[in-house]
Amino acid sequence: MTRKIVSTALVTAAALSLGGCLELQRASTHGYVIDREVVDELRPGVDNKQSVASALGNPTAASTFRDNVWYYIQQRQEKIAFLPEETTRQRVLQFTFDNEGYFEGLERYTLADAQAVAPRGDRTASRGREMGFFEQIFSNIGRFGAAGPGGMAGPGR
């Protein structure tokens, strides 16, 4: 009887474990939902930043290094069980505008065009004086007066 209870418990635990695996894949879409028809109606030299923003909404990002470049980004990400989330599809629309703000051109990019950027492992250099361990600990000794009335340092405060 005990053997039957143990084997039944093991079978039940295994079934529950496997049942949980069926629901472990998850997909989600983030960013701008691209409507090809709306994008195709925009005309270079005719539309400007205002009309593009009216048709598509605010861009996902604007270029940091080049003025007058907007990006609309859409990504699909999937996660399976305990594995890290992975981007499986990416679409980027890059709108370029001239100096007067008129739409000049459109580039389309996919995940195949993406470039991996590896962050550097070392720290960012700070501009300032480097202090040693003991200097950091003892540097404030004597810099502040004793607390007076109301917790304020210095006489008459």
Side-chain angles (χ1 to χ4, degrees):
M1 178 85 171
T2 306
R3 181 178 262 179
K4 188 173 185 176
I5 292 172
V6 170
S7 63
T8 302
L10 288 174
V11 169
T12 303
L16 289 174
S17 297
L18 291 174
C21 290
L22 298 176
E23 205 55 45
L24 292 179
Q25 183 171 359
R26 182 184 51 167
S28 58
T29 301
H30 305 278
Y32 176 74
V33 178
I34 297 171
D35 184 344
R36 190 183 263 311
E37 291 177 12
V38 174
V39 172
D40 289 343
E41 289 178 7
L42 298 171
R43 299 287 169 230
V46 176
D47 286 294
N48 57 24
K49 286 183 176 183
Q50 185 177 5
S51 62
V52 171
S54 293
L56 305 178
N58 292 328
T60 306
S63 176
T64 304
F65 302 107
R66 292 174 45 203
D67 290 339
N68 298 323
V69 178
W70 286 1
Y71 299 98
Y72 290 85
I73 304 168
Q74 178 184 47
Q75 289 183 330
R76 179 177 171 84
Q77 297 176 329
E78 294 181 2
K79 181 172 177 67
I80 299 173
F82 54 85
L83 298 175
E85 194 169 56
E86 181 181 345
T87 301
T88 57
R89 185 175 70 213
Q90 176 173 285
R91 291 194 240 165
V92 178
L93 301 178
Q94 175 187 303
F95 285 86
T96 307
F97 300 93
D98 64 17
N99 290 334
E100 287 80 41
Y102 282 94
F103 171 41
E104 261 187 347
L106 171 65
E107 296 289 330
R108 298 172 194 261
Y109 300 103
T110 65
L111 190 57
D113 299 310
Q115 296 179 8
V117 177
R120 291 193 53 174
D122 52 348
R123 65 186 181 142
T124 303
S126 62
R127 304 289 182 224
R129 199 174 122 225
E130 292 287 330
M131 294 177 23
F133 175 74
F134 290 108
E135 189 176 9
Q136 289 178 23
I137 292 176
F138 297 115
S139 64
N140 286 329
I141 294 177
R143 288 184 64 194
F144 303 102
M152 300 294 289
R157 293 190 203 188

